Amino acid sequence: MDASTAALSRIGLAGLAVMGQNLALNIAEKGFPISVYNRTISKVDETVDRARNEGHLPLVGQYNPRDFVLSIERPRSVIILVKAGAPVDQTIATLSEHMEAGDCIIDGGNEWYENTERRIQQVADKGILYLGMGVSGGEDGARHGPSLMPGGSYQAYSNVQDILMKVAAQVEDGPCVTYIGEGGSGNFVKMVHNGIEYGDMQLISEAYDVLKHVGGLSNSELAQIFAEWNRGELESFLIEITADIFKVKDESGDGDLVDKILDKTGMKGTGKWTVQQAAELSVAAPTIAASLDCRYLSGLKDERENAANVLKEAGLNDQVGYVKSGIDRKRLIDDVRQALYASKICSYAQGMNLLRAKSDEKGWNLNLGELARIWKGGCIIRAVFLDRIKKAYQRNPNLASLIVDPEFAREMVQRQAAWRRVVGLAISAGISTPGMCASLAYFDTYRRARLPANLVQAQRDLFGAHTYERIDRPGSFHTEWTKLARNGVGALN
């Protein structure tokens, strides 16, 4: 089809792996004519075939960059969904040759936010606008309604706002998309979303571990428990799919499939970026960090198997059987539910605090309540209690932490006894619960008016003359600690 004579498309999408295909079909299904392009021609044909088979959707395949760009109405908006890093730069270079001032490029991949900010400046020289847009929800979300987090040029967002509002997941208080802010804010928000997701998944796996090994629950019982939890305060996509996982039998043999999966967790980098940014901004994110550490340790399968044998020979006994005897299973199940909920609040609190710190540094003016709202549908961390997080920030936009929101504070206090029982039981049984432990330690550290940090600061002053502040008078002080201690003399400052 000749691009010069054909009816022009409203938008274009380049990069037709499954996410790209599904998002393109979603856009077309919502009534927006779309042009698609991929370097591999077979992917274009595949997408065109799907559009025809899924309802003769208004989708047109293009087979070279020039025809693709020229098939889109001005001002042109092009979504690119290719692997982060160099492939994005290569795609931008290829497409921008045929674009003009006022056109827009929208990167929908999991990109490092500083790369987005660099690209904003690069394409600005040609007058091209740029958005870095986080897309959450996986393949199914892309096809039927994802959570979208666009950041960068507001004009570029305005050009496609009507499309994004229809394509995004829909919840009772609107579509799961909002303009995030300037620069790389959209990518940064998606990165932290993924960090929270890491924490969520780790906490759920720990709940499973305790219930399976201390409670002695079967997979069918676990499926029932998680399904029941999904009807209450823990209702969420991750709890729902966990219940489903426990129901699946191994088609290649006997038993349940989950038990046949190698205990090594993969990752693509966004969790690591989140923890690195937390460290850079001096924001405590121990639950997210613990989840990342667990993924690293899971990769050491051979070492872990060897360590199990070496320590067993050294006399380490399995404590699970001892702890398991006399367990009240009904109480354990309810305690684990409460521990999981309280731990999740801490994980989300850490993520939100990281977003606020970055927003303050960059001047993004992020609306944390609105971010919680657009995560209520479409995305991997969608959960019922995100509505309550939204309301907490609506009540107090300057909320220091979710932990001190009156409603969440009350819930944390009500659940702390069960939380401590679960963590204590797991420690006694030798079952690692690093996410729950990190969350509880975060809660206990944050809630204490006075910490042993005074001793640490005294040590720093002793060996490095770093000085210290006092609680009874203003100013900075230094003490010759060793000299005074050994002479038995009081401090003179």
PDB file of all heavy atoms in Angstrom, residues 352-353 356 360 365-369 390-402 404-405 446:
ATOM      1  N   MET A 352       7.106   4.435  48.126  1.00  0.00           N
ATOM      2  CA  MET A 352       6.542   5.787  48.053  1.00  0.00           C
ATOM      3  C   MET A 352       7.537   6.832  48.573  1.00  0.00           C
ATOM      4  O   MET A 352       7.654   7.935  48.019  1.00  0.00           O
ATOM      5  CB  MET A 352       5.236   5.858  48.845  1.00  0.00           C
ATOM      6  CG  MET A 352       4.089   5.097  48.202  1.00  0.00           C
ATOM      7  SD  MET A 352       3.701   5.754  46.561  1.00  0.00           S
ATOM      8  CE  MET A 352       2.174   4.908  46.180  1.00  0.00           C
ATOM      9  N   ASN A 353       8.275   6.494  49.621  1.00  0.00           N
ATOM     10  CA  ASN A 353       9.268   7.435  50.147  1.00  0.00           C
ATOM     11  C   ASN A 353      10.396   7.663  49.147  1.00  0.00           C
ATOM     12  O   ASN A 353      10.933   8.774  49.040  1.00  0.00           O
ATOM     13  CB  ASN A 353       9.834   6.918  51.475  1.00  0.00           C
ATOM     14  CG  ASN A 353       8.839   7.048  52.613  1.00  0.00           C
ATOM     15  OD1 ASN A 353       7.765   7.625  52.453  1.00  0.00           O
ATOM     16  ND2 ASN A 353       9.173   6.500  53.764  1.00  0.00           N
ATOM     17  N   ARG A 356       9.052  10.052  46.539  1.00  0.00           N
ATOM     18  CA  ARG A 356       9.017  11.426  47.023  1.00  0.00           C
ATOM     19  C   ARG A 356      10.422  12.044  47.026  1.00  0.00           C
ATOM     20  O   ARG A 356      10.605  13.199  46.617  1.00  0.00           O
ATOM     21  CB  ARG A 356       8.425  11.503  48.420  1.00  0.00           C
ATOM     22  CG  ARG A 356       8.416  12.959  48.924  1.00  0.00           C
ATOM     23  CD  ARG A 356       8.183  13.119  50.386  1.00  0.00           C
ATOM     24  NE  ARG A 356       6.814  12.857  50.750  1.00  0.00           N
ATOM     25  CZ  ARG A 356       6.401  11.795  51.421  1.00  0.00           C
ATOM     26  NH1 ARG A 356       7.276  10.878  51.813  1.00  0.00           N
ATOM     27  NH2 ARG A 356       5.149  11.620  51.729  1.00  0.00           N
ATOM     28  N   ASP A 360      11.508  15.310  44.906  1.00  0.00           N
ATOM     29  CA  ASP A 360      12.058  16.523  45.525  1.00  0.00           C
ATOM     30  C   ASP A 360      13.391  16.903  44.881  1.00  0.00           C
ATOM     31  O   ASP A 360      13.655  18.079  44.622  1.00  0.00           O
ATOM     32  CB  ASP A 360      12.249  16.306  47.028  1.00  0.00           C
ATOM     33  CG  ASP A 360      10.933  16.227  47.784  1.00  0.00           C
ATOM     34  OD1 ASP A 360       9.894  16.608  47.210  1.00  0.00           O
ATOM     35  OD2 ASP A 360      10.939  15.769  48.946  1.00  0.00           O
ATOM     36  N   ASN A 365       7.432  17.028  41.160  1.00  0.00           N
ATOM     37  CA  ASN A 365       6.116  17.270  41.758  1.00  0.00           C
ATOM     38  C   ASN A 365       5.193  16.059  41.587  1.00  0.00           C
ATOM     39  O   ASN A 365       4.025  16.187  41.190  1.00  0.00           O
ATOM     40  CB  ASN A 365       5.469  18.522  41.146  1.00  0.00           C
ATOM     41  CG  ASN A 365       4.308  19.034  41.985  1.00  0.00           C
ATOM     42  OD1 ASN A 365       4.281  18.846  43.207  1.00  0.00           O
ATOM     43  ND2 ASN A 365       3.346  19.660  41.347  1.00  0.00           N
ATOM     44  N   LEU A 366       5.704  14.880  41.900  1.00  0.00           N
ATOM     45  CA  LEU A 366       4.908  13.658  41.765  1.00  0.00           C
ATOM     46  C   LEU A 366       3.723  13.678  42.732  1.00  0.00           C
ATOM     47  O   LEU A 366       3.864  14.078  43.881  1.00  0.00           O
ATOM     48  CB  LEU A 366       5.769  12.416  42.058  1.00  0.00           C
ATOM     49  CG  LEU A 366       6.938  12.130  41.121  1.00  0.00           C
ATOM     50  CD1 LEU A 366       7.645  10.849  41.543  1.00  0.00           C
ATOM     51  CD2 LEU A 366       6.479  12.031  39.662  1.00  0.00           C
ATOM     52  N   ASN A 367       2.583  13.215  42.240  1.00  0.00           N
ATOM     53  CA  ASN A 367       1.373  13.095  43.051  1.00  0.00           C
ATOM     54  C   ASN A 367       1.261  11.637  43.496  1.00  0.00           C
ATOM     55  O   ASN A 367       0.806  10.781  42.734  1.00  0.00           O
ATOM     56  CB  ASN A 367       0.153  13.509  42.215  1.00  0.00           C
ATOM     57  CG  ASN A 367      -1.138  13.480  43.005  1.00  0.00           C
ATOM     58  OD1 ASN A 367      -1.277  12.715  43.963  1.00  0.00           O
ATOM     59  ND2 ASN A 367      -2.090  14.301  42.603  1.00  0.00           N
ATOM     60  N   LEU A 368       1.682  11.349  44.724  1.00  0.00           N
ATOM     61  CA  LEU A 368       1.757   9.961  45.186  1.00  0.00           C
ATOM     62  C   LEU A 368       0.378   9.306  45.256  1.00  0.00           C
ATOM     63  O   LEU A 368       0.233   8.110  44.959  1.00  0.00           O
ATOM     64  CB  LEU A 368       2.454   9.892  46.548  1.00  0.00           C
ATOM     65  CG  LEU A 368       3.898  10.414  46.590  1.00  0.00           C
ATOM     66  CD1 LEU A 368       4.495  10.204  47.978  1.00  0.00           C
ATOM     67  CD2 LEU A 368       4.766   9.756  45.536  1.00  0.00           C
ATOM     68  N   GLY A 369      -0.649  10.062  45.618  1.00  0.00           N
ATOM     69  CA  GLY A 369      -1.996   9.508  45.651  1.00  0.00           C
ATOM     70  C   GLY A 369      -2.468   9.112  44.265  1.00  0.00           C
ATOM     71  O   GLY A 369      -3.114   8.071  44.078  1.00  0.00           O
ATOM     72  N   LYS A 390      -4.103   5.607  48.156  1.00  0.00           N
ATOM     73  CA  LYS A 390      -4.516   6.833  47.466  1.00  0.00           C
ATOM     74  C   LYS A 390      -5.186   7.793  48.439  1.00  0.00           C
ATOM     75  O   LYS A 390      -4.861   8.992  48.488  1.00  0.00           O
ATOM     76  CB  LYS A 390      -5.473   6.481  46.321  1.00  0.00           C
ATOM     77  CG  LYS A 390      -6.008   7.682  45.552  1.00  0.00           C
ATOM     78  CD  LYS A 390      -7.218   7.337  44.707  1.00  0.00           C
ATOM     79  CE  LYS A 390      -8.486   7.261  45.561  1.00  0.00           C
ATOM     80  NZ  LYS A 390      -9.715   7.139  44.738  1.00  0.00           N
ATOM     81  N   LYS A 391      -6.113   7.272  49.237  1.00  0.00           N
ATOM     82  CA  LYS A 391      -6.859   8.120  50.176  1.00  0.00           C
ATOM     83  C   LYS A 391      -5.965   8.663  51.287  1.00  0.00           C
ATOM     84  O   LYS A 391      -6.175   9.786  51.766  1.00  0.00           O
ATOM     85  CB  LYS A 391      -8.030   7.333  50.754  1.00  0.00           C
ATOM     86  CG  LYS A 391      -9.130   7.080  49.733  1.00  0.00           C
ATOM     87  CD  LYS A 391     -10.227   6.177  50.274  1.00  0.00           C
ATOM     88  CE  LYS A 391     -11.312   5.952  49.225  1.00  0.00           C
ATOM     89  NZ  LYS A 391     -12.321   4.952  49.652  1.00  0.00           N
ATOM     90  N   ALA A 392      -4.958   7.880  51.683  1.00  0.00           N
ATOM     91  CA  ALA A 392      -4.027   8.352  52.717  1.00  0.00           C
ATOM     92  C   ALA A 392      -3.282   9.592  52.235  1.00  0.00           C
ATOM     93  O   ALA A 392      -3.119  10.569  52.984  1.00  0.00           O
ATOM     94  CB  ALA A 392      -3.039   7.244  53.083  1.00  0.00           C
ATOM     95  N   TYR A 393      -2.844   9.582  50.970  1.00  0.00           N
ATOM     96  CA  TYR A 393      -2.124  10.747  50.442  1.00  0.00           C
ATOM     97  C   TYR A 393      -3.070  11.886  50.088  1.00  0.00           C
ATOM     98  O   TYR A 393      -2.652  13.053  50.064  1.00  0.00           O
ATOM     99  CB  TYR A 393      -1.273  10.348  49.237  1.00  0.00           C
ATOM    100  CG  TYR A 393      -0.019   9.592  49.646  1.00  0.00           C
ATOM    101  CD1 TYR A 393       0.120   8.231  49.388  1.00  0.00           C
ATOM    102  CD2 TYR A 393       1.022  10.240  50.312  1.00  0.00           C
ATOM    103  CE1 TYR A 393       1.255   7.538  49.773  1.00  0.00           C
ATOM    104  CE2 TYR A 393       2.160   9.554  50.703  1.00  0.00           C
ATOM    105  CZ  TYR A 393       2.276   8.208  50.432  1.00  0.00           C
ATOM    106  OH  TYR A 393       3.407   7.526  50.821  1.00  0.00           O
ATOM    107  N   GLN A 394      -4.342  11.566  49.828  1.00  0.00           N
ATOM    108  CA  GLN A 394      -5.327  12.636  49.636  1.00  0.00           C
ATOM    109  C   GLN A 394      -5.602  13.344  50.959  1.00  0.00           C
ATOM    110  O   GLN A 394      -5.753  14.570  50.996  1.00  0.00           O
ATOM    111  CB  GLN A 394      -6.617  12.061  49.057  1.00  0.00           C
ATOM    112  CG  GLN A 394      -6.519  11.695  47.588  1.00  0.00           C
ATOM    113  CD  GLN A 394      -7.796  11.076  47.053  1.00  0.00           C
ATOM    114  OE1 GLN A 394      -8.610  10.540  47.812  1.00  0.00           O
ATOM    115  NE2 GLN A 394      -7.992  11.135  45.741  1.00  0.00           N
ATOM    116  N   ARG A 395      -5.650  12.560  52.049  1.00  0.00           N
ATOM    117  CA  ARG A 395      -5.859  13.164  53.378  1.00  0.00           C
ATOM    118  C   ARG A 395      -4.686  14.060  53.747  1.00  0.00           C
ATOM    119  O   ARG A 395      -4.860  15.126  54.340  1.00  0.00           O
ATOM    120  CB  ARG A 395      -6.020  12.072  54.434  1.00  0.00           C
ATOM    121  CG  ARG A 395      -7.364  11.409  54.490  1.00  0.00           C
ATOM    122  CD  ARG A 395      -7.533  10.563  55.735  1.00  0.00           C
ATOM    123  NE  ARG A 395      -6.650   9.408  55.782  1.00  0.00           N
ATOM    124  CZ  ARG A 395      -6.954   8.219  55.256  1.00  0.00           C
ATOM    125  NH1 ARG A 395      -8.099   8.043  54.632  1.00  0.00           N
ATOM    126  NH2 ARG A 395      -6.108   7.212  55.357  1.00  0.00           N
ATOM    127  N   ASN A 396      -3.475  13.603  53.403  1.00  0.00           N
ATOM    128  CA  ASN A 396      -2.277  14.344  53.776  1.00  0.00           C
ATOM    129  C   ASN A 396      -1.218  14.184  52.692  1.00  0.00           C
ATOM    130  O   ASN A 396      -0.440  13.236  52.713  1.00  0.00           O
ATOM    131  CB  ASN A 396      -1.735  13.835  55.122  1.00  0.00           C
ATOM    132  CG  ASN A 396      -0.489  14.586  55.562  1.00  0.00           C
ATOM    133  OD1 ASN A 396      -0.067  15.551  54.928  1.00  0.00           O
ATOM    134  ND2 ASN A 396       0.112  14.135  56.654  1.00  0.00           N
ATOM    135  N   PRO A 397      -1.171  15.098  51.718  1.00  0.00           N
ATOM    136  CA  PRO A 397      -0.194  14.999  50.625  1.00  0.00           C
ATOM    137  C   PRO A 397       1.254  15.014  51.110  1.00  0.00           C
ATOM    138  O   PRO A 397       2.145  14.542  50.402  1.00  0.00           O
ATOM    139  CB  PRO A 397      -0.495  16.234  49.766  1.00  0.00           C
ATOM    140  CG  PRO A 397      -1.907  16.603  50.100  1.00  0.00           C
ATOM    141  CD  PRO A 397      -2.079  16.245  51.539  1.00  0.00           C
ATOM    142  N   ASN A 398       1.484  15.528  52.303  1.00  0.00           N
ATOM    143  CA  ASN A 398       2.846  15.594  52.862  1.00  0.00           C
ATOM    144  C   ASN A 398       3.110  14.475  53.867  1.00  0.00           C
ATOM    145  O   ASN A 398       4.030  14.580  54.685  1.00  0.00           O
ATOM    146  CB  ASN A 398       3.072  16.954  53.528  1.00  0.00           C
ATOM    147  CG  ASN A 398       2.949  18.101  52.537  1.00  0.00           C
ATOM    148  OD1 ASN A 398       3.509  18.048  51.447  1.00  0.00           O
ATOM    149  ND2 ASN A 398       2.199  19.132  52.901  1.00  0.00           N
ATOM    150  N   LEU A 399       2.310  13.413  53.797  1.00  0.00           N
ATOM    151  CA  LEU A 399       2.453  12.273  54.708  1.00  0.00           C
ATOM    152  C   LEU A 399       3.899  11.754  54.693  1.00  0.00           C
ATOM    153  O   LEU A 399       4.431  11.406  53.639  1.00  0.00           O
ATOM    154  CB  LEU A 399       1.489  11.164  54.285  1.00  0.00           C
ATOM    155  CG  LEU A 399       1.393   9.922  55.167  1.00  0.00           C
ATOM    156  CD1 LEU A 399       0.807  10.270  56.523  1.00  0.00           C
ATOM    157  CD2 LEU A 399       0.533   8.864  54.473  1.00  0.00           C
ATOM    158  N   ALA A 400       4.531  11.740  55.866  1.00  0.00           N
ATOM    159  CA  ALA A 400       5.937  11.318  55.947  1.00  0.00           C
ATOM    160  C   ALA A 400       6.108   9.857  55.599  1.00  0.00           C
ATOM    161  O   ALA A 400       7.104   9.455  54.987  1.00  0.00           O
ATOM    162  CB  ALA A 400       6.480  11.593  57.352  1.00  0.00           C
ATOM    163  N   SER A 401       5.147   9.019  55.992  1.00  0.00           N
ATOM    164  CA  SER A 401       5.211   7.588  55.712  1.00  0.00           C
ATOM    165  C   SER A 401       3.813   7.001  55.863  1.00  0.00           C
ATOM    166  O   SER A 401       3.026   7.459  56.693  1.00  0.00           O
ATOM    167  CB  SER A 401       6.164   6.884  56.680  1.00  0.00           C
ATOM    168  OG  SER A 401       6.080   5.478  56.556  1.00  0.00           O
ATOM    169  N   LEU A 402       3.516   5.980  55.067  1.00  0.00           N
ATOM    170  CA  LEU A 402       2.235   5.295  55.224  1.00  0.00           C
ATOM    171  C   LEU A 402       2.054   4.752  56.630  1.00  0.00           C
ATOM    172  O   LEU A 402       0.931   4.627  57.119  1.00  0.00           O
ATOM    173  CB  LEU A 402       2.149   4.133  54.224  1.00  0.00           C
ATOM    174  CG  LEU A 402       1.937   4.506  52.757  1.00  0.00           C
ATOM    175  CD1 LEU A 402       2.026   3.254  51.891  1.00  0.00           C
ATOM    176  CD2 LEU A 402       0.605   5.210  52.561  1.00  0.00           C
ATOM    177  N   VAL A 404       2.547   6.125  59.389  1.00  0.00           N
ATOM    178  CA  VAL A 404       1.972   7.083  60.337  1.00  0.00           C
ATOM    179  C   VAL A 404       0.639   7.650  59.858  1.00  0.00           C
ATOM    180  O   VAL A 404       0.076   8.541  60.505  1.00  0.00           O
ATOM    181  CB  VAL A 404       2.956   8.235  60.667  1.00  0.00           C
ATOM    182  CG1 VAL A 404       4.166   7.690  61.408  1.00  0.00           C
ATOM    183  CG2 VAL A 404       3.396   8.981  59.406  1.00  0.00           C
ATOM    184  N   ASP A 405       0.118   7.166  58.736  1.00  0.00           N
ATOM    185  CA  ASP A 405      -1.267   7.483  58.403  1.00  0.00           C
ATOM    186  C   ASP A 405      -2.146   6.844  59.469  1.00  0.00           C
ATOM    187  O   ASP A 405      -1.943   5.676  59.830  1.00  0.00           O
ATOM    188  CB  ASP A 405      -1.626   6.906  57.027  1.00  0.00           C
ATOM    189  CG  ASP A 405      -3.113   7.031  56.736  1.00  0.00           C
ATOM    190  OD1 ASP A 405      -3.566   8.147  56.467  1.00  0.00           O
ATOM    191  OD2 ASP A 405      -3.807   5.983  56.826  1.00  0.00           O
ATOM    192  N   TYR A 446      11.639   2.579  62.731  1.00  0.00           N
ATOM    193  CA  TYR A 446      10.964   3.837  62.429  1.00  0.00           C
ATOM    194  C   TYR A 446      10.103   4.323  63.589  1.00  0.00           C
ATOM    195  O   TYR A 446       9.952   5.524  63.801  1.00  0.00           O
ATOM    196  CB  TYR A 446      10.108   3.665  61.170  1.00  0.00           C
ATOM    197  CG  TYR A 446       9.554   4.955  60.627  1.00  0.00           C
ATOM    198  CD1 TYR A 446      10.377   5.886  59.996  1.00  0.00           C
ATOM    199  CD2 TYR A 446       8.198   5.260  60.742  1.00  0.00           C
ATOM    200  CE1 TYR A 446       9.875   7.072  59.496  1.00  0.00           C
ATOM    201  CE2 TYR A 446       7.678   6.443  60.241  1.00  0.00           C
ATOM    202  CZ  TYR A 446       8.521   7.346  59.618  1.00  0.00           C
ATOM    203  OH  TYR A 446       8.027   8.525  59.128  1.00  0.00           O
TER     204      TYR A 446
END
